[in-house]
Amino acid sequence: EVQLLESGGGLVQPGGSLRLSCAASGFSFSSYAMNWVRQAPGKGLEWVSGISGSGRNTYYGDSLKGRFTISRDNSKNTLYLQMNSLRAEDTALYYCAKEVWGIYSGRYFDYWGQGTLVTVSS
Amino acid sequence: EIVLTQSPGTLSLSPGERATLSCRASQSVTSSYLAWYQQKPGQAPRLLIYGASSRATGIPDRFSGSGSGTDFTLTISRVEPEDFAVYYCQQYGSSPPIFTFGPGTKVDIK
């Protein structure tokens, strides 16, 4: 059974930093790209960042402007998101999601964690 | 960057009725890169449809997806009580390589 368990969220002051983790199990972690998706309270879904299975390729949403860094440790089956210079608008539930890619099936997220809440406030 | 628009914003239906949800893209989307998700309150999103029309594992056949180019549709043939939720479309664009979600359509009880 695929499981994704996020941790590391919490209350942080504006300008502060936080590192999120996502522990994965139930599948061959290094074979799949992984992503972070966030959802501000009462709002829709926003893709944040993605990383290839090897970790060599990373992608970011335009709104992040270099403040976030995605990484992974395949020996630990863990995905990370380092968030710096946090702003009030970064307040959201952060989900990690397993990506599936196929020539004919496309790219999409087949499994999601339950999310970890990040609150940026003074 | 492709922008996705979903309509209507809210769809009020009675159980047993047909639901038709629209997802429109600002420019043509590769059909294989269009997916739909369902999200219930307090829960993570769940994959419903990928490749515009393929149902994910375990998804009932009352859910179907269709469309191509800039216009895509999610149809629930007969809405069940457990289908009241928010539905998001999502596309992947390779240049630049990013994922984009639509704003969502809420299906609620009439």
Side-chain angles (χ1 to χ4, degrees):
Chain A
E1 179 192 3
V2 172
Q3 291 194 340
L4 299 171
L5 184 61
E6 301 95 336
S7 61
L11 175 64
V12 60
Q13 293 188 338
S17 299
L18 214 53
R19 188 176 85 154
L20 307 183
S21 300
C22 172
S25 61
F27 64 101
S28 178
F29 183 69
S30 62
S31 297
Y32 292 90
M34 297 293 295
N35 291 259
W36 290 98
V37 177
R38 69 183 180 183
Q39 186 169 35
K43 303 298 184 182
L45 302 170
E46 179 187 8
W47 176 75
V48 171
S49 182
I51 186 168
S52 61
S54 66
R56 277 194 294 270
N57 299 305
T58 59
Y59 312 96
Y60 297 93
D62 287 343
S63 65
L64 301 182
K65 298 189 187 302
R67 297 182 297 121
F68 291 8
T69 302
I70 191 172
S71 62
R72 64 192 296 160
D73 185 337
N74 287 342
S75 69
K76 296 182 178 179
N77 289 354
T78 302
L79 174 71
Y80 302 101
L81 185 68
Q82 177 67 43
M83 305 186 294
N84 299 328
S85 303
L86 284 162
R87 306 166 180 168
E89 54 265 36
D90 296 317
T91 294
L93 188 62
Y94 284 74
Y95 295 103
C96 71
K98 172 179 169 284
E99 180 183 328
V100 174
W101 177 83
I103 293 175
Y104 300 108
S105 59
R107 285 183 186 267
Y108 52 91
F109 307 133
D110 62 342
Y111 286 95
W112 299 62
Q114 287 303 305
T116 186
L117 182 63
V118 172
T119 303
V120 184
S121 175
S122 55
Chain B
E1 180 180 329
I2 295 177
V3 176
L4 299 178
T5 303
Q6 291 187 243
S7 61
T10 302
L11 190 56
S12 296
L13 296 169
S14 300
E17 290 190 300
R18 183 182 186 89
T20 303
L21 286 66
S22 173
C23 176
R24 181 161 292 176
S26 58
Q27 53 188 283
S28 187
V29 172
T30 302
S31 293
S32 60
Y33 288 151
L34 196 288
W36 290 90
Y37 301 85
Q38 176 194 65
Q39 187 178 35
K40 298 179 181 179
Q43 296 185 16
R46 178 176 73 147
L47 176 68
L48 294 177
I49 301 288
Y50 63 91
S53 60
S54 297
R55 271 188 303 277
T57 302
I59 301 303
D61 61 6
R62 63 180 181 273
F63 290 92
S64 63
S66 63
S68 63
T70 60
D71 290 299
F72 297 87
T73 300
L74 175 70
T75 301
I76 311 173
S77 58
R78 293 174 306 280
V79 174
E80 298 285 339
E82 61 267 29
D83 300 337
F84 293 101
V86 179
Y87 293 84
Y88 296 95
C89 58
Q90 168 247 306
Q91 71 91 30
Y92 171 79
S94 57
S95 296
I98 64 170
F99 291 91
T100 306
F101 289 93
T105 289
K106 182 178 182 181
V107 177
D108 66 12
I109 301 174
K110 191 174 183 179

